[in-house]
Amino acid sequence: MSTDSSHTGAKPTVIIVGGGIIGCSAAYELSKAGFACTLIEKGALNQEASTAAAGMLGAQSETHRPGPYYELCRLSQQLYRAWTDELEQVSGLTAQYVAEGIVRAALTEEDEAELRGRLSWIRDAEWVQPAEMLKLEPELTAAVRGGLYLPADHHVHPVWLAKTLQAAIAKQGCTIREWTPVIRLLTEPGSGRIRGVQTSEGPLYADLVVLAAGAWSPALTEPLGLSLPMFPVKGQCISLKTEAPLIRSTVFTKGCYVVPKRDGSYIVGATQTEAGFDKRPTAKVIGELHAKATALLPRLAEAEFVSTWAGLRPGTRDALPFLGTWDAAPGLIFATGHYRNGILLAPATARIVAELAQGRPTSADLAPFTPARAAADTAA
Ligand code: FAD
């Protein structure tokens, strides 16, 4: 993408709308690539989906078919360790990367069949018989029918990843404007080129704008005539603690996972409901989630209760992100709709955003993720 500043020799400017994990990662990579970045957030940084997450890097556990989305998840998974190492060096903080895999346990015949079906295409996976699985994780319910061992599906702590990224982008000199809602994108009459954003504090101009507003993104593309088929998907979680660790791997079954964090706590997640922008946890749903967790790991019944929360995943109708550019709005880069895998997809997304901004070939084929697929829907 060519920018106006490239003609004057000044640093090209970019505004990133949305200070979640995707906006912060894009700001980090763009600053590194030599852009003068302004990150604009309507509230405080990382207070929405990104810190409600469990932090699994589940390329294998979260994909259900082979294809470009699985390859994008794999790419990001492969970038992760070096990316967090670099962020930790720059920030002096830790993202709490844990290099233990996921045990994807089947508790029903249907779940077993679905998991066995994945073996024909999934990489870094092995089928584990019930006795072997109980050797791997002895606290698992004896009702386990076996399942997949996914050694490459590691995890980070999303809250610590957020702190690490925030410190890293601040060190790189990125301008951060919190409590500043973007009201609309500013377009050049005639060409439709995006020139900046109108904020609650006035207009701001830049060579490029990155849309990373999570579940709120459609409100900003609607005035451009683009109806992004996105919706918030509420997920509720619980944090629990036990005196001694019960598990080493993340233990995952249909509808429930338990992720053991470095501080000795577990994140138990996560429910899925479409309930608009309401993110209050409810006693009924949290009770059901706890029942599922204890069916999987019976000793969690006596665990100490730490806290509960909910967040809004940026869901899309085809469960694929919007990643790329759109001919009708030059100057705008889409990085939104990461649904259940935005923590996993952060480094690959950031790399691709920087490649697009620099007009370089991208690390992944973006055709399946093009915003133009929403334009086709809007026109239909
Ligand atoms: P967000 O974090 O929602 O950030 C978007 C930001 O944009 C917000 O801060 C918002 O305030 C801001 N914004 C919106 N509109 C405007 C505006 N007009 N002006 C200025 N700012 C604006 N993913 C994984 O990879 N692994 C997991 O284990 C995992 N577990 C999850 C568990 C739960 C319970 C939930 C809810 C999600 C989980 N996810 C997980 C998904 C992941 O959290 C999301 O995909 C990811 O956080 C999306 O990041 P984001 O930056 O796009 O969105």
Side-chain angles (χ1 to χ4, degrees):
M1 235 176 214
S2 75
T3 61
D4 287 353
S5 313
S6 53
H7 306 300
T8 63
K11 261 190 174 186
T13 53
V14 57
I15 289 170
I16 300 115
V17 183
I21 232 68
I22 297 297
C24 290
S25 310
Y28 178 75
E29 217 54 45
L30 286 162
S31 302
K32 251 177 65 181
F35 287 81
C37 295
T38 304
L39 178 63
I40 308 185
E41 166 54 51
K42 69 177 169 57
L45 294 185
N46 285 307
Q47 294 302 308
E48 295 294 348
S50 298
T51 43
M56 288 177 294
L57 310 176
Q60 277 61 235
S61 52
E62 285 284 341
T63 41
H64 301 273
R65 62 191 67 83
Y69 183 66
Y70 178 51
E71 296 309 324
L72 185 68
C73 290
R74 290 278 300 183
L75 168 70
S76 214
Q77 189 176 58
Q78 281 153 10
L79 296 174
Y80 230 96
R81 190 66 189 258
W83 183 65
T84 50
D85 283 352
E86 179 181 321
L87 291 173
E88 289 178 357
Q89 267 190 356
V90 175
S91 66
L93 298 175
T94 168
Q96 300 200 9
Y97 191 104
V98 175
E100 295 285 350
I102 290 182
V103 167
R104 180 65 178 81
L107 298 186
T108 63
E109 196 180 332
E110 189 196 357
D111 198 18
E112 183 182 339
E114 198 271 320
L115 291 180
R116 282 189 186 275
R118 289 194 210 180
L119 279 170
S120 61
W121 56 270
I122 213 162
R123 280 163 272 162
D124 286 328
E126 66 177 280
W127 186 262
V128 184
Q129 298 298 345
E132 286 305 306
M133 197 159 252
L134 287 166
K135 270 192 207 149
L136 275 175
E137 292 299 347
E139 294 296 339
L140 264 175
T141 169
V144 68
R145 305 171 63 98
L148 295 174
Y149 177 54
L150 308 168
D153 284 8
H154 300 163
H155 61 96
V156 290
H157 199 303
V159 173
W160 281 96
L161 173 65
K163 288 182 203 246
T164 305
L165 258 172
Q166 283 170 222
I169 58 179
K171 280 220 166 129
Q172 278 175 317
C174 174
T175 304
I176 298 169
R177 295 181 67 157
E178 294 180 296
W179 306 106
T180 311
V182 167
I183 296 158
R184 65 189 167 86
L185 303 174
L186 296 173
T187 51
E188 189 174 74
S191 73
R193 191 178 175 85
I194 304 296
R195 287 292 177 197
V197 297
Q198 180 67 37
T199 75
S200 55
E201 309 294 310
L204 275 177
Y205 299 95
D207 295 314
L208 298 171
V209 173
V210 177
L211 179 66
W216 295 264
S217 300
L220 294 170
T221 64
E222 205 71 50
L224 307 177
L226 183 67
S227 212
L228 287 179
M230 284 183 65
F231 44 89
V233 182
K234 179 175 174 179
Q236 303 190 37
C237 289
I238 323 171
S239 172
L240 300 174
K241 216 164 187 168
T242 51
E243 296 262 308
L246 292 184
I247 47 176
R248 223 172 72 173
S249 323
T250 292
V251 172
F252 194 144
T253 194
K254 200 167 183 185
C256 179
Y257 49 73
V258 183
V259 190
K261 294 300 175 186
R262 269 204 215 166
D263 64 0
S265 70
Y266 308 91
I267 296 183
V268 180
T271 61
Q272 289 225 139
T273 36
E274 286 170 37
F277 286 89
D278 175 0
K279 55 171 195 175
R280 288 169 298 180
T282 62
K284 177 173 182 283
V285 171
I286 290 297
E288 287 165 1
L289 183 60
H290 186 245
K292 278 187 191 164
T294 53
L296 185 63
L297 288 165
R299 283 187 55 207
L300 275 185
E302 296 113 49
E304 177 191 338
F305 173 81
V306 180
S307 62
T308 177
W309 65 88
L312 302 171
R313 304 175 185 93
T316 63
R317 194 156 53 228
D318 56 11
L320 299 178
F322 289 101
L323 188 52
T325 55
W326 178 42
D327 285 350
L332 180 63
I333 298 174
F334 292 71
T336 189
H338 292 75
Y339 189 32
R340 288 177 64 96
N341 290 307
I343 305 298
L344 166 65
L345 288 170
T349 301
R351 175 187 273 205
I352 289 168
V353 166
E355 288 165 347
L356 288 168
Q358 293 172 295
R360 294 199 283 129
T362 51
S363 298
D365 171 16
L366 299 184
F369 314 119
T370 176
R373 71 190 198 276
D377 280 3
T378 308

